[in-house]
Amino acid sequence: PAANTAVGRYNCLIKRNWDEGLDMLVKGDDPQLRQLAEADRANPDGHEAQAALADAWWTWSEGANMSTETSSARARAIHWYQKALPAMPPGLARVTASRRVSEGANSEKKYSSASRPTASD
């Protein structure tokens, strides 16, 4: 289980290979990541379940150990927010989801530009 957690974290949160990584996290020993992976693998189709999963990934990202993990978990949250948003009714949940998608997009731009070599490299 510990090895599955380690390799699953690497695949999901470093390489962003969610297909392989989620399967490993489901078999892992981290109960919080196991629960997130199980919910993610269930591929929820209703906007409420999708938004709840997005919220869970976002919340997990706030306690992540590394900035790369934070960025990857937020990217996964954004994936689920984007699926949920078209069907979400007006209200606080929709505003929060929209704000997080925008915030996450800005973070991704910073993350992408920070990881690219510059002309001086």
Side-chain angles (χ1 to χ4, degrees):
N4 277 306
T5 297
V7 176
R9 281 179 87 124
Y10 175 75
N11 276 313
C12 288
L13 301 170
I14 304 298
K15 289 179 58 179
R16 296 189 183 188
N17 182 346
W18 294 94
D19 289 334
E20 285 184 36
L22 289 172
D23 289 338
M24 292 176 177
L25 291 176
V26 166
K27 299 174 189 172
D29 63 355
D30 182 313
Q32 192 174 19
L33 283 173
R34 184 180 332 114
Q35 184 178 16
L36 282 167
E38 287 170 347
D40 205 299
R41 296 302 293 158
N43 198 25
D45 60 1
H47 71 86
E48 291 174 344
Q50 291 167 340
L53 179 56
D55 288 342
W57 275 116
W58 194 275
T59 299
W60 186 90
S61 77
E62 293 172 340
N65 297 330
M66 300 184 311
S67 62
T68 303
E69 288 187 341
T70 299
S71 177
S72 295
R74 287 189 177 185
R76 193 60 176 180
I78 289 166
H79 164 81
W80 288 110
Y81 283 131
Q82 288 174 329
K83 286 183 171 266
L85 272 167
M88 289 179 81
L92 181 59
R94 184 180 181 88
V95 170
T96 299
S98 295
R99 181 181 50 80
R100 287 180 173 176
V101 168
S102 295
E103 183 181 322
N106 290 335
S107 294
E108 281 300 299
K109 286 178 189 173
K110 290 178 190 174
Y111 174 77
S112 294
S113 64
S115 63
R116 287 190 200 131
T118 62
S120 63
D121 288 345

